[in-house]
Amino acid sequence: MATTTTTTNGAAAAANVSRRDHVVIFPFMAKGHTLPLLHFATALTAHHKTLHVTVLTTPANRAFAAGRLPPSVSLVELPFPSLPPLPAGVESTDALPCPSLYPIFLRATALLREPFAEYLASLPSPPLALVSDFFLGFTRAAAADAGVRRVVFHGMSCFSMAVCKALIVNPEAAAAAAGGGVEPGGGGAPFPVPGMPEHVGITADEVPDALVKFADAEDPVTRFLVDDVGFSDVLSWGVLVNSFAALDEAYVAPLESFYQMPGARAWLVGPLFLAAAGDTSELEEEEQEHDPDGCLAWLDDAQPGSVVYVSFGTQAHISNAQLDEIAHGLVQSGHRFLWAVRSDTWTPPAKVGPNGRVVRGWVPQRRVLAHRAVGGFVSHCGWNSVMECLAAGKPILAWPMIAEQHLNARHAANILGVGVRIDTKPGGMAAAGDVVGRAEVEEKVRALMDAEGQAGKKMRKGAAWAQREAMSAVGEGGASRVALRELVDELQRTYGDVVVDEGKIM
């Protein structure tokens, strides 16, 4: 039997957490997937103090999780499987030494099924619920075997999830668009998405690459999604969404239509980092002190709304040629900029000058976005970053690259009207040879930062609306706070109900 190591952060002792007030949370090992579930764990204990919450992690990810959880949440370590050629100790996607190891990493995470099942079997009684990432498809059957309902988490908006699922079950729509020969950058006429509201149309370039490849039986990621994830997602008891009704209400019904369990709901409880604020005062104080490069002090010396903040996340690789073009475009825009760069090998052009600040270490992004000096955000449009930007009331220059980021860009810029877009192909800066020139970077940054023009005023009005709605959603009586309470109430009301067998997967 595999060994599980339990580490208790504080209040909830392992011997006392296995009852109807126990919620188990199992994030996927990628920072963008893990962070919102850590915030969810914190929100549960902040607003439902009788609940005992356990987060499952692995040895190399424990420190990251522990530093972002209050003492009221417990941690349990599961041993991360060994699967050469994946290097030992690489237990998160951001630690992968090269993108080609991603399919092997996915296969390694599927091997966590046995220690996960052993953990559930070690509990004196079934917990109230399991909340797990959709990539961890094995958790659905293992939880069902233990008599536990599974709530699935994607880390995406209702909009992007519903579009993706619609294209999966209507592959001819995605295939027709992908074969349309449109120009890069959202070129070609938007096509309607089956089952979505009439105002939703996307272009061929916005179809996520994984969906374009879905018919390729030889693609290793596709094989994982089919063989290891399968229908485990849509057979879940419900789906947890890091969003709020004002942004996503129109897409709730289309999303819920794909879930096959009777009464399955999409529970919109975000923005989760705001929902968690009630029990994170000490954590926030520690975060405020953790600004090793002095980003906030640098911003303190800038005029209100004068600085562009630039960050492209932790997943996609950006070539040195593209980084050079971004640097020149930022300088040519004439605006001050703060740029969080992942690469530790790229050397900025000498003429970046005094108006630019390039940071390679950790940046307190939420506090940077909330700073009065920041007037706009150049972002890859990962959903966490979009939510943080909107919650800060700032407009966004959308530069999507991978996964569903092109859909997030359409949602933010084209539907919500809170930003502008860079023209990119699917894969964006991760696509070989696709380099956006400095002139376009300059033009789009100027458009983003033009607070007095008609387009700039419209973006800022929309961003201010989103900020008000985000704060209202997580406040007392807000839609997300109510949804969180209803989720817990429904789980407790139906505790002990028979879990429907998974049946035939494919």
Side-chain angles (χ1 to χ4, degrees):
M1 178 176 289
T3 301
T4 61
T5 303
T6 302
T7 304
T8 303
N9 254 8
N16 296 323
V17 296
S18 300
R19 22 180 219 254
R20 63 180 299 159
D21 57 2
H22 182 205
V23 175
V24 177
I25 299 174
F26 198 173
F28 179 65
M29 299 80 187
K31 296 298 189 291
H33 289 241
T34 298
L35 273 171
L37 283 184
L38 298 181
H39 292 142
F40 177 65
T42 303
L44 277 180
T45 59
H47 302 301
H48 299 272
K49 297 187 182 299
T50 60
L51 287 179
H52 298 283
V53 180
T54 298
V55 172
L56 302 184
T57 187
T58 66
N61 292 305
R62 184 193 177 281
F64 179 83
R68 289 160 178 81
L69 289 171
S72 52
V73 176
S74 297
L75 281 172
V76 169
E77 291 180 12
L78 303 181
F80 194 84
S82 173
L83 188 63
L86 191 68
V90 173
E91 300 177 10
S92 183
T93 57
D94 60 293
L96 290 171
C98 60
S100 63
L101 288 174
Y102 180 62
I104 298 171
F105 180 83
L106 291 177
R107 297 210 319 264
T109 63
L111 297 177
L112 284 162
R113 175 173 182 146
E114 182 179 350
F116 171 70
E118 291 173 356
Y119 164 73
L120 290 181
S122 73
L123 300 176
S125 59
L128 181 65
L130 165 74
V131 180
S132 66
D133 195 282
F134 87 103
F135 271 119
L136 305 177
F138 64 86
T139 61
R140 196 283 173 193
D145 290 343
V148 182
R149 278 87 52 84
R150 183 219 193 181
V151 179
V152 67
F153 176 74
H154 284 258
M156 296 161 60
S157 66
C158 288
F159 174 85
S160 293
M161 272 190 283
V163 169
C164 289
K165 290 181 181 299
L167 294 178
I168 288 174
V169 300
N170 296 278
E172 64 280 357
V182 296
E183 293 299 317
F191 64 90
V193 179
M196 291 292 281
E198 290 184 2
H199 70 271
V200 176
I202 67 171
T203 67
D205 287 350
E206 293 167 345
V207 177
D209 189 54
L211 299 189
V212 174
K213 295 178 179 177
F214 211 74
D216 181 3
E218 302 302 317
D219 179 71
V221 176
T222 297
R223 291 267 33 102
F224 175 83
L225 292 175
V226 172
D227 297 339
D228 293 89
V229 175
F231 279 119
S232 64
D233 173 16
V234 297
L235 290 171
S236 298
W237 181 86
V239 55
L240 187 78
V241 187
N242 183 20
S243 187
F244 51 100
L247 292 189
D248 257 345
E249 193 168 29
Y251 318 112
V252 169
L255 174 61
E256 290 177 341
S257 70
F258 295 102
Y259 285 83
Q260 299 177 13
M261 291 287 285
R265 275 188 59 184
W267 304 88
L268 280 65
V269 294
L272 283 169
F273 69 89
L274 291 179
D279 199 32
T280 58
S281 57
E282 293 183 4
L283 297 176
E284 293 296 334
E285 288 176 5
E286 292 176 5
E287 181 180 305
Q288 290 177 20
E289 296 172 359
H290 188 42
D291 182 17
D293 289 282
C295 299
L296 299 170
W298 186 79
L299 290 171
D300 287 342
D301 293 332
Q303 294 298 313
S306 65
V307 177
V308 185
Y309 173 56
V310 186
S311 176
F312 298 110
T314 60
Q315 297 300 312
H317 170 75
I318 305 173
S319 70
N320 286 348
Q322 182 63 87
L323 292 171
D324 283 345
E325 291 301 302
I326 295 169
H328 287 296
L330 288 169
V331 171
Q332 290 169 192
S333 76
H335 292 282
R336 299 188 72 179
F337 61 89
L338 175 64
W339 185 5
V341 176
R342 185 186 180 199
S343 172
D344 56 6
T345 60
W346 172 70
T347 301
K351 64 177 188 177
V352 161
N355 285 336
R357 183 76 183 272
V358 176
V359 178
R360 298 183 193 273
W362 187 86
V363 173
Q365 179 163 295
R366 296 206 303 274
R367 297 194 67 222
V368 166
L369 285 170
H371 199 285
R372 60 177 179 77
V374 172
F377 182 22
V378 181
S379 171
H380 62 305
C381 274
W383 187 241
N384 291 334
S385 289
V386 172
M387 291 291 280
E388 290 176 358
C389 184
L390 295 182
K394 303 297 169 66
I396 191 167
L397 172 50
W399 196 329
M401 298 179 227
I402 58 175
E404 89 290 1
Q405 293 166 9
H406 286 79
L407 298 176
N408 295 340
R410 171 159 289 274
H411 192 183
N414 300 92
I415 296 178
L416 296 174
V418 296
V420 294
R421 298 178 66 171
I422 284 278
D423 292 337
T424 63
K425 298 176 182 178
M429 287 184 286
D434 183 26
V435 175
V436 176
R438 63 191 70 179
E440 184 174 356
V441 175
E442 174 189 354
E443 175 190 352
K444 294 299 174 66
V445 169
R446 287 180 181 272
L448 174 72
M449 298 298 287
D450 181 11
E452 299 303 319
Q454 183 176 355
K457 288 180 178 178
K458 183 179 179 181
M459 284 189 289
R460 282 158 179 78
K461 181 179 179 180
W465 167 84
Q467 182 184 38
R468 290 193 300 272
E469 293 293 337
M471 299 299 294
S472 174
V474 299
E476 189 63 40
S480 294
R481 179 78 71 87
V482 170
L484 181 63
R485 183 179 68 247
E486 290 179 348
L487 169 61
V488 174
D489 289 347
E490 181 67 10
L491 285 167
Q492 291 180 328
R493 185 183 69 80
T494 59
Y495 180 77
D497 284 1
V498 176
V499 178
V500 176
D501 289 338
E502 189 164 0
K504 187 175 181 180
I505 294 281
M506 300 300 288

